[in-house]
Structures are given as structure tokens and as C-alpha cells.
Amino acid sequence: AVFSHDESLVMVPDARANAVACWDAQSSALLTRVAEHSQPITWIAASPATPAFMTCSTDECVRFW
């Protein structure tokens, strides 16, 4: 799991959906899932200064969100 730059979100790879699940860090509510990979996500990195992150997957793609 990875926290967003302001620690308001927790981003977790969802292997069943090949997506990133974004959870509210305060309430533990699922806010959204972002899915553009065709295979499981192996890495998530959050920007230290902006509300952006990157993912890598076994589909050999890197995505910038």
C-alpha cells in the first residue's frame, strides 16, 4: 500500500481487477478503482508533491495517473 502525497488516500493494487483501489485514509471508505492495465499491478509510486501516481504491471506498461 502507498499513501498519497498528503496522506489522505491509501492506494492498493487490486490483483483481481488489475486496478488500483483508492481508499480514504480517515474513513477507510473505498473511493474509486482505476483500471487501465491488462495484467496485475506490481508497483505503485506516489508523487511527493502532487496528487499523481505511477503504476507498473506485468503487462510491461507504466501508467501515469
Side-chain angles (χ1 to χ4, degrees):
V2 175
F3 281 94
S4 62
H5 75 290
D6 61 0
E7 298 183 354
S8 65
L9 299 176
V10 180
M11 297 167 283
V12 181
D14 180 347
R16 291 177 292 164
N18 300 329
V20 175
C22 297
W23 298 84
D24 183 283
Q26 297 278 340
S27 69
S28 301
L30 178 61
L31 300 175
T32 190
R33 280 193 175 87
V34 290
E36 291 289 329
H37 287 287
S38 62
Q39 294 184 22
I41 294 169
T42 57
W43 181 74
I44 302 171
S47 167
T50 63
F53 63 97
M54 295 178 72
T55 57
C56 291
S57 169
T58 56
D59 63 8
E60 300 181 0
C61 292
V62 176
R63 303 259 188 236
F64 180 78
W65 308 86

